[in-house]
Amino acid sequence: MAERLQTVIGHVTGSRTIQFEPVSGLQTVGGGDLQLTYNKPRLSLEQRQFYEENGYLVIKKLVAQKDLDRYRERFEKICKKEVKVPQLLIMRDVSISKSEFVPGEQAVTKIQDFMNDEVLFDYCCLPQVVDYVECFTGPNVMAMHTMLINKPPDPAMEPVNRQNGCLVVLPGSHKGELLEHGYPEWEGGVNKMYHGIKNYDPSYPRVHLEMEAGDTVFFHPILIHGSGTNKTKGFRKSISCHYATGNMEYIDVEKDHVQSTIADEVLDLAVKRTGLDRDQIRFADIWKFRSRLVKGEDCST
């Protein structure tokens, strides 16, 4: 997206309605408290107010082109199998993966869990990015889930607009509940683990975030978001990291929880990749294994 969505603050909860504890450094403005950000110099009062109300914040030109070029080059090497990364998950496009004569980046729609690749993980640790992340997580910063998305029809992480499927957000939707996710019923099927939200109001006002290369969007963990069809001939690339505070607790998802279907799918995938029995793996342990400290201390339990 410009190409690198940055999803901030991973959050899993055991209740249907997410309850957030107010962060320290609150500042009372206009009769209300700002509870989703820390009062740090990096964010202006206006930026904090905007995030509080809308659930997202775009920072222009945060990442240099030279860094984007390095990440793009690394992605290409991974797709060509010139580089092998432990625990990396390569996801291929269900519509073209079997028809492409020579497997490569055209067949890859996403790579996940690149926390063990020092080149791509460098993105998660960029000082200018982490400076903003700390405004949401505090000084102890964990990277929870890392992705590089290659949206099929570009030579680089470049400008994104409505033609090539830019990010779409529903401002203010972060104030609601964590909604159930599932597979959309699309003709021709859908890629594995490409979930969509069920039962949301399609008439809810939305904003298309048209961005330039190096722009970064930080958004709330339950902000409703997605992207449209890429109507161009190129592949649109974006790099993403979910962050969380190091002072967190890993939990399991109960059977009837709104996210239990996804939890089961994650557990099934872990069984397939590790060869362990289902009763030997906990959902909480999977996320702890997929996390990596970015800054400060890992105080999680």
Side-chain angles (χ1 to χ4, degrees):
M1 317 224 118
E3 260 309 341
R4 327 126 347 68
L5 311 183
Q6 171 129 344
T7 313
V8 182
I9 321 175
H11 186 96
V12 179
T13 180
S15 62
R16 272 188 182 274
T17 302
I18 295 186
Q19 301 293 333
F20 292 94
E21 292 296 327
V23 299
S24 61
L26 293 181
Q27 184 167 2
T28 301
V29 181
D33 290 332
L34 299 181
Q35 299 188 20
L36 302 180
T37 57
Y38 286 85
N39 187 12
K40 298 173 68 68
R42 178 58 61 188
L43 289 183
S44 68
L45 177 58
E46 290 74 20
Q47 287 174 317
R48 295 181 67 201
Q49 289 174 310
F50 184 91
Y51 183 86
E52 183 90 13
E53 180 63 26
N54 296 283
Y56 72 95
L57 184 66
V58 176
I59 306 298
K60 306 295 290 183
K61 298 295 183 183
L62 187 60
V63 178
Q65 186 63 51
K66 63 179 179 62
D67 290 319
L68 298 180
D69 291 340
R70 284 195 300 119
Y71 306 145
R72 174 186 55 80
E73 181 181 358
R74 189 66 166 186
F75 172 72
E76 292 175 352
K77 288 184 177 181
I78 290 172
C79 292
K80 294 175 183 177
K81 299 183 179 181
E82 296 176 6
V83 174
K84 292 186 178 181
V85 181
Q87 307 304 323
L88 184 77
L89 178 61
I90 298 178
M91 305 181 73
R92 299 186 179 276
D93 190 336
V94 66
S95 65
I96 63 175
S97 61
K98 295 181 180 179
S99 62
E100 188 182 39
F101 182 69
V102 180
E105 70 174 296
Q106 285 74 26
V108 176
T109 58
K110 183 186 297 184
I111 59 174
Q112 296 199 85
D113 299 332
F114 60 68
M115 63 278 186
N116 293 320
D117 183 80
E118 295 306 319
V119 175
L120 292 180
F121 191 72
D122 172 75
Y123 161 72
C124 303
C125 303
L126 288 174
Q128 67 270 34
V129 172
V130 178
D131 275 353
Y132 281 97
V133 174
E134 287 187 83
C135 296
F136 305 96
T137 65
N140 298 321
V141 182
M142 301 290 295
M144 302 303 304
H145 181 203
T146 50
M147 297 184 291
L148 197 154
I149 301 166
N150 187 44
K151 188 163 191 172
D154 35 335
M157 288 170 252
E158 79 283 333
V160 289
N161 49 50
R162 296 182 69 164
Q163 277 298 107
N164 64 4
C166 68
L167 183 70
V168 180
V169 296
L170 276 58
S173 58
H174 66 300
K175 300 176 184 178
E177 296 182 338
L178 176 64
L179 300 178
E180 182 181 2
H181 289 59
Y183 284 106
E185 296 179 359
W186 290 349
E187 183 179 351
V190 65
N191 294 312
K192 188 71 172 176
M193 301 192 82
Y194 275 62
H195 303 109
I197 290 178
K198 294 183 176 181
N199 303 319
Y200 81 97
D201 183 1
S203 66
Y204 196 105
R206 59 187 64 187
V207 173
H208 292 80
L209 299 182
E210 297 192 354
M211 301 165 66
E212 297 295 326
D215 294 354
T216 303
V217 56
F218 297 88
F219 59 90
H220 190 278
I222 67 168
L223 181 76
I224 297 177
H225 64 281
S227 58
T229 303
N230 183 356
K231 299 178 181 178
T232 70
K233 295 181 180 180
F235 283 66
R236 177 181 64 71
K237 295 178 177 62
S238 60
I239 190 167
S240 167
C241 180
H242 297 68
Y243 291 97
T245 175
N247 305 81
M248 63 180 164
E249 179 185 0
Y250 294 90
I251 65 172
D252 288 311
V253 174
E254 297 177 358
K255 182 177 180 181
D256 296 325
H257 185 264
V258 67
Q259 295 291 68
S260 60
T261 299
I262 292 179
D264 287 340
E265 191 169 14
V266 170
L267 286 166
D268 288 341
L269 181 61
V271 168
K272 182 179 179 180
R273 295 181 70 182
T274 65
L276 298 173
D277 294 332
R278 180 67 175 266
D279 58 5
Q280 294 178 288
I281 303 175
R282 294 177 60 238
F283 184 71
D285 292 336
I286 293 174
W287 284 103
K288 192 170 183 65
F289 178 75
R290 296 172 76 180
S291 66
R292 182 174 173 182
L293 182 67
V294 171
K295 185 177 181 179
E297 296 181 310
D298 179 0
C299 306
S300 59
T301 58

